[in-house]
Amino acid sequence: NLLTGGINNVNNSNIASGAAIAANKISGTALTQSEIATDTQTNIGTSTAVVVTPANITSILKRVYKSVNETVNNNNTLQNDDTLLFSIGANETWAFQLYMIWSSGATPDFQYKITIPTGGTMNYFDTFYFSTFDETTVVISVNGTGAKIGESIRGVVINGATPGNVQLKWAQNTANLSDTIVYAGSYIIAHKLA
């Protein structure tokens, strides 16, 4: 039984095949074959839980990892990052964390913006500034030092009727003949709230 540390009638083939165990029974008795869920919803007390399986995990969790450095030189026009973006559907709500490692000199500095599909709204918090921004039109400018800087941005996007991407855009703040870099190791983790 589950409450005393044992699990009856669950074998390795159930787990290896990706089958999820329905938690609709907390009586401590053995689970029956009909209580092994695959991709359904089951009632747990008075709330409803969605059973997460390997087949549907990518629809509610997105991970983006930047594996190569990206460089801008002598350009202060915001450009789409090649990697740091994720797609969202119409009328979905997503929470995200963007961790960005970048460097830029003191003359060019650094600027970035996060864009979302038309009709959506977004609130995000930049830990570098300890500030909350609630507009997608805001461009954040940060002083460069030439050294690597790690910046963490957390936010929530409430999308409208238009599907599309949540996209990091960035550039030098002042065009300068030097390299501004967003480094490999930057990432986004996002999960669907609704």
Side-chain angles (χ1 to χ4, degrees), residues 89-93 158-162 194:
N91 304 308
E92 292 180 345
T93 300
I158 302 169
N159 201 20
T162 305

Side-chain angles (χ1 to χ4, degrees), residues 58-62 86-97 116-117 119-123 155-164 166 189-194:
T58 56
S59 68
I60 61 170
L61 176 66
K62 304 208 178 195
F86 64 96
S87 62
I88 59 175
N91 304 308
E92 292 180 345
T93 300
W94 286 79
F96 69 90
Q97 177 181 357
I116 62 173
T121 60
M122 173 175 58
N123 288 299
V156 175
V157 177
I158 302 169
N159 201 20
T162 305
V166 176
I189 297 175
H191 58 275
K192 186 177 175 184
L193 301 177

Side-chain angles (χ1 to χ4, degrees), residues 73-94:
N73 185 295
N74 199 29
N75 192 334
N76 65 347
T77 301
L78 289 168
Q79 54 98 37
N80 289 341
D81 188 274
D82 293 342
T83 308
L84 298 175
L85 71 142
F86 64 96
S87 62
I88 59 175
N91 304 308
E92 292 180 345
T93 300
W94 286 79

Side-chain angles (χ1 to χ4, degrees), residues 96-134:
F96 69 90
Q97 177 181 357
L98 164 60
Y99 181 69
M100 175 173 48
I101 307 164
W102 61 271
S103 69
S104 191
T107 299
D109 294 325
F110 184 77
Q111 63 174 323
Y112 78 87
K113 175 181 180 179
I114 299 170
T115 60
I116 62 173
T118 302
T121 60
M122 173 175 58
N123 288 299
Y124 63 98
F125 178 81
D126 183 322
T127 55
F128 193 80
Y129 279 112
F130 297 101
S131 298
T132 300
F133 305 97
D134 60 1

